[in-house]
Amino acid sequence: MNVKIIFQMMLLSALFYVIPAKADWYQHSFEVMGTQAKVEFEWNDKHQAQLLIQAVVDEMNRIDRLMSPYKPKSEISQLNNSAWSKPIKVSKEFYDLLVRSQHFSNLTKGAFDISFSSVGYLYDYRQNKKPTAKQIAELKEAINYQKIVLNEKDNSVFFTDKRVKIDLGGIAKGHAVDQSIHILQKAGIVNAYVNAGGDSRIIGKKNDRLWYIGIKHPRNEKKLLANLPLEAAAISTSGDYERYFEEGGVRYHHIINPETGDSVRDIRSATIIADDSTTADALSTSIFVLGIKPGMDLINAMPNVSAIMVDKHGKLFVSKDLASVE
Ligand code: ADP
Ligand code: MG
């Protein structure tokens, strides 16, 4: 072989190495955690893309098994059954999410409180079931995040009141979205979208343009409240229209005011834009409970967090950073 041919072969193999295979978009929708989820990303290998989609589906199902109060063997069910009688050790992941939940409880002075479920477990929105006034009166005191004692020495959890029940529905989907984005990032993906119910997170771009994420209109399914161009952000919406029933003209829905044990009725929709989904998820539930003024005051004091809220009259409110272009 002469030198020229060897050189040409080297050039060819170098080119093959440098020019990546053509990238395609892959997407998959599925049901998990009682809601619709979706993953969408750009990648250059079809087989790997299928494996990554499966990894995201598996991850969300794993988190669901860990955190569903309806699955009798989940860590959360074990706590709800017996953490009042003795401290119970939980996995590091679950423990860390409890620590984050407590952080948001402290930040919101108890508006975000996973022990809302001490009363909340008596609601069944599909069966139009709600607790009686007597049950609420008896159990309301158990809604208090300070009754959840976390011991970081052995990742154990203890409830100081037998009536305490917890539910991570206000933060678990955000965690699942963050975990899914991490899986995709670790595989080298730069352009992706992951959604679970009202929680979405995006990285990179969609075909060289910003991603557009729509916020549902709280009273008209055919309309969007807004369609926002976003880059590397998480966006979560909490609404009174997701899970609810009406009785005597009153709407009973899944966001509970820890002070009353009843649904929050001053807000229809609360959206948070933040850097990660766990934060966005917890804060959207938080400001829904806090209401317009305290909710916006909290968000306006936080760096890199924005909010969009709709009150019970249909009036729109936005955080300071969105209201001015200065
Ligand atoms: P979803 O994405 O399910 O609509 P949200 O982020 O809007 O979730 O949060 C609603 C869920 O949060 C409820 O289904 C319930 O599990 C939980 N939750 C309700 N009230 C509170 C509260 N005061 N603090 C923390 N979590 C709550
Ligand atoms: Mg939330």
Side-chain angles (χ1 to χ4, degrees):
M1 228 188 286
N2 68 31
V3 176
K4 198 173 159 198
I5 292 180
I6 294 177
F7 181 73
Q8 277 175 346
M9 279 177 65
M10 278 170 63
L11 197 70
L12 208 70
S13 56
L15 271 180
F16 190 73
Y17 194 70
V18 172
I19 299 174
K22 191 183 152 311
D24 281 313
W25 282 91
Y26 297 88
Q27 56 167 285
H28 180 65
S29 298
F30 55 104
E31 265 182 45
V32 69
M33 304 175 118
T35 189
Q36 274 296 119
K38 188 176 174 187
V39 51
E40 187 179 349
F41 57 83
E42 190 179 34
W43 194 234
N44 53 25
D45 181 292
K46 190 175 174 188
H47 179 64
Q48 282 177 8
Q50 300 303 342
L51 292 178
L52 283 167
I53 285 173
Q54 194 53 48
V56 167
V57 172
D58 290 348
E59 179 67 357
M60 290 216 189
N61 278 302
R62 184 189 67 79
I63 293 172
D64 190 19
R65 279 195 300 277
L66 198 66
M67 306 199 178
S68 170
Y70 305 109
K71 300 196 195 296
K73 289 200 180 130
S74 66
E75 292 203 286
I76 201 158
S77 294
Q78 290 174 35
L79 293 182
N80 285 341
N81 290 334
S82 32
W84 60 272
S85 60
K86 57 178 189 302
I88 300 209
K89 284 186 194 170
V90 293
S91 64
K92 174 89 170 72
E93 177 185 12
F94 191 83
Y95 185 84
D96 287 346
L97 207 58
L98 293 176
V99 170
R100 269 187 107 171
S101 298
Q102 296 293 65
H103 161 77
F104 288 108
S105 297
N106 287 317
L107 189 73
T108 62
K109 300 195 177 69
F112 186 89
D113 190 333
I114 56 173
S115 70
F116 83 91
S117 190
S118 310
V119 173
Y121 88 102
L122 292 167
Y123 288 89
D124 186 336
Y125 304 99
R126 273 182 219 136
Q127 314 252 355
N128 293 15
K129 257 180 60 188
K130 59 176 168 48
T132 62
K134 187 162 170 275
Q135 283 173 317
I136 292 183
E138 279 167 6
L139 296 172
K140 213 173 64 181
E141 244 180 66
I143 305 182
N144 182 349
Y145 61 97
Q146 284 157 343
K147 293 187 171 183
I148 306 166
V149 181
L150 303 178
N151 186 344
E152 66 177 352
K153 287 205 184 94
D154 60 354
N155 290 352
S156 70
V157 186
F158 179 64
F159 298 161
T160 61
D161 183 326
K162 190 175 177 178
R163 300 166 296 177
V164 169
K165 289 202 188 320
I166 60 169
D167 184 323
L168 293 171
I171 194 168
K173 283 203 275 290
H175 173 64
V177 169
D178 281 339
Q179 288 288 112
S180 302
I181 286 286
H182 293 156
I183 288 177
L184 299 179
Q185 279 176 325
K186 261 193 239 158
I189 286 172
V190 280
N191 301 315
Y193 163 84
V194 176
N195 160 262
D199 302 293
S200 306
R201 184 167 165 188
I202 46 120
I203 52 171
K205 299 214 164 135
K206 175 78 189 274
N207 294 329
D208 296 329
R209 294 194 183 171
L210 294 181
W211 286 95
Y212 272 79
I213 308 292
I215 304 174
K216 283 188 189 172
H217 188 290
R219 291 295 180 270
N220 187 340
E221 276 179 28
K222 292 189 193 114
K223 272 181 151 177
L224 287 181
L225 191 66
N227 199 17
L228 302 174
L230 293 174
E231 195 170 10
I235 177 163
S236 291
T237 299
S238 296
D240 68 354
Y241 49 85
E242 288 292 347
R243 246 168 287 164
Y244 75 97
F245 64 91
E246 277 180 340
E247 199 181 286
V250 179
R251 183 179 286 237
Y252 295 90
H253 69 87
H254 68 150
I255 301 167
I256 304 295
N257 182 345
E259 276 176 17
T260 62
D262 192 8
S263 306
V264 179
R265 303 235 163 63
D266 293 337
I267 305 295
R268 289 180 182 174
S269 156
T271 296
I272 291 283
I273 302 159
D275 291 335
D276 69 273
S277 266
T278 311
T279 301
D281 193 7
L283 284 178
S284 70
T285 309
S286 298
I287 60 167
F288 197 107
V289 175
L290 285 169
I292 303 285
K293 174 82 170 69
M296 285 300 180
D297 285 350
L298 174 73
I299 300 310
N300 286 332
M302 293 179 80
N304 291 338
V305 184
S306 312
I308 301 168
M309 297 174 83
V310 179
D311 74 2
K312 63 179 170 191
H313 308 293
K315 194 165 179 226
L316 192 72
F317 296 82
V318 298
S319 53
K320 265 194 192 151
D321 61 318
L322 297 179
S324 118
V325 288
E326 276 172 51

